[in-house]
Amino acid sequence: MEMSFYVGAIGAFNCTEKLSVVSNNLANFNNTGFKPKTAVFSDLINYNLNDSPDAVTELQAGAGMRVARTYTTFDVSGATQTGSQLDYAILQPNAFFMVQDPETDEITYTRDGHFHRADMGGNFYLMTDGGKYVLDENQQPIVLGENEEETEPGLYTFTNPSRLLSVGNNEYVPSDEGAEAIAVEQPSLMKGALESSGTDMAEEFSRLIECQRAFSYALKMVQTSDEVTSTINSLRG
């Protein structure tokens, strides 16, 4: 009975983690350049009955599951025209703007191309809504001239973009130390437009319903285990 308690409890806990991922995706449905996350589950223990541990048989038993990781796919979403010459939509997958914090010099990456003109020390720079410099293909802050139509931000990619970690504000950093950003030689951008959120409302609501049902089944397992244990204890006197 202890195992059934454990499986039910750990199942309910991990369903709440998946629910948090789905909720975050839905909350960012209208955020420019947002890329939804997907929760991946794995068995905690999976073993074969009446055979060696490495054998693959139809008689298998597990002991619960957990959220092993979450991943983000940086595919292209639809672009919406804004008319602003300082808005940019990325039209290729796995590509990012490189931005830099003017106070800490920290480098992060984003697909949100909603930029504005800001006066910093007598020069006008292309900056994000969060007050960060947008860098060019030489990793230098972009200084705006009189003709804003000639401004072209640089794009960067990674050999393994799936290993980027979200740090909030629709920005990412490499999870591996020493991972270097690679400048995109022929960046594909649409000026005067913004990439829409990648959240698929129908898909996320399907995941929400799936998660709610799994959560209720897990709690039912805990309840049933409790009832069986109580019955056994009462029979023992």
Side-chain angles (χ1 to χ4, degrees):
M1 288 299 103
E2 290 184 1
M3 180 61 73
S4 60
F5 272 119
Y6 172 76
V7 172
I10 200 69
F13 173 78
N14 282 277
C15 282
T16 60
E17 287 201 10
K18 180 178 180 180
L19 184 60
S20 296
V21 173
V22 173
S23 299
N24 183 67
N25 292 342
L26 290 172
N28 287 278
F29 178 72
N30 293 318
N31 283 4
T32 302
F34 175 78
K35 299 301 174 187
K37 294 179 176 58
T38 302
V40 179
F41 289 90
S42 66
D43 290 334
L44 285 177
I45 300 176
N46 191 282
Y47 57 91
N48 291 289
L49 302 179
N50 303 323
D51 210 323
S52 63
D54 297 330
V56 178
T57 71
E58 295 182 357
L59 298 174
Q60 291 188 337
M65 55 78 180
R66 67 182 178 90
V67 176
R69 63 187 179 91
T70 60
Y71 70 88
T72 306
T73 302
F74 298 100
D75 293 329
V76 179
S77 303
T80 303
Q81 295 285 343
T82 65
S84 172
Q85 292 300 315
L86 298 181
D87 283 343
Y88 298 86
I90 300 177
L91 301 181
Q92 59 194 95
N94 302 328
F96 309 87
F97 299 108
M98 180 186 287
V99 298
Q100 183 179 39
D101 190 318
E103 296 182 359
T104 65
D105 293 332
E106 179 186 12
I107 299 293
T108 53
Y109 302 86
T110 183
R111 287 182 67 94
D112 184 357
H114 183 48
F115 305 137
H116 66 276
R117 182 186 182 99
D119 184 358
M120 300 286 289
N123 289 323
F124 289 95
Y125 291 89
L126 187 66
M127 303 193 76
T128 68
D129 284 340
K132 295 185 177 182
Y133 293 123
V134 182
L135 307 186
D136 60 18
E137 66 277 5
N138 298 315
Q139 301 187 18
Q140 298 298 316
I142 297 175
V143 180
L144 296 175
E146 295 181 0
N147 190 355
E148 294 179 348
E149 295 183 359
E150 298 179 355
T151 304
E152 291 294 344
L155 288 184
Y156 294 83
T157 188
F158 294 86
T159 54
N160 194 351
S162 63
R163 297 184 66 82
L164 291 175
L165 297 178
S166 174
V167 292
N169 296 323
N170 216 0
E171 297 177 6
Y172 303 87
V173 296
S175 61
D176 300 327
E177 293 185 5
E180 295 184 1
I182 304 169
V184 178
E185 293 184 0
Q186 296 181 336
S188 180
L189 292 167
M190 180 184 293
K191 183 173 289 190
L194 292 173
E195 184 183 21
S196 60
S197 170
T199 298
D200 185 325
M201 186 71 75
E203 182 177 355
E204 295 302 329
F205 270 111
S206 296
R207 291 176 177 174
L208 177 64
I209 294 172
E210 178 187 73
C211 190
Q212 289 176 329
R213 289 180 177 175
F215 181 79
S216 64
Y217 294 152
L219 291 185
K220 184 65 175 178
M221 178 182 291
V222 173
Q223 179 183 356
T224 302
S225 298
D226 180 62
E227 292 173 354
V228 172
T229 301
S230 298
T231 300
I232 292 175
N233 290 335
S234 64
L235 292 174
R236 289 174 176 174

